[in-house]
Amino acid sequence: MSARKPLFSVIAAAALAMLAACSTNTAQGVRQDAQLVKEKAVEVKDKVVDKAIEVKDVVVDKSIEVKDKAVEGGKAAGQAIGSGLEKAGDAVKGATN
């Protein structure tokens, strides 16, 4: 048994060394994974910001289009009212003459 004791000590020392190496590699791996996650988060944030800007541009363009149509509709309504008033005025003139 005493002959096996040094062998067990060597095996135990080797196992501890491997375990220490694994924990170092694991810590390094966790740091690398954290960096990758951080880079991916920045990439996703940039895509979200770009998409939000696209949506904002579409909304602004659509709002301008709707405003322009409303202005055109208001002008047409104003012209129709003006024309109606002009015809009413002509009718009143015709009735009083």
Side-chain angles (χ1 to χ4, degrees), residues 10-28:
V10 169
I11 291 174
L16 286 173
M18 289 177 62
L19 185 59
C22 286
S23 70
T24 302
N25 287 340
T26 301
Q28 176 103 13

Side-chain angles (χ1 to χ4, degrees), residues 77-91:
Q79 288 173 348
I81 290 170
S83 176
L85 290 174
E86 188 178 330
K87 288 180 183 176
D90 289 344

Side-chain angles (χ1 to χ4, degrees), residues 47-58:
K47 286 181 180 179
V48 168
V49 168
D50 290 345
K51 195 59 159 176
I53 289 170
E54 284 179 33
V55 169
K56 178 199 66 96
D57 290 346
V58 168

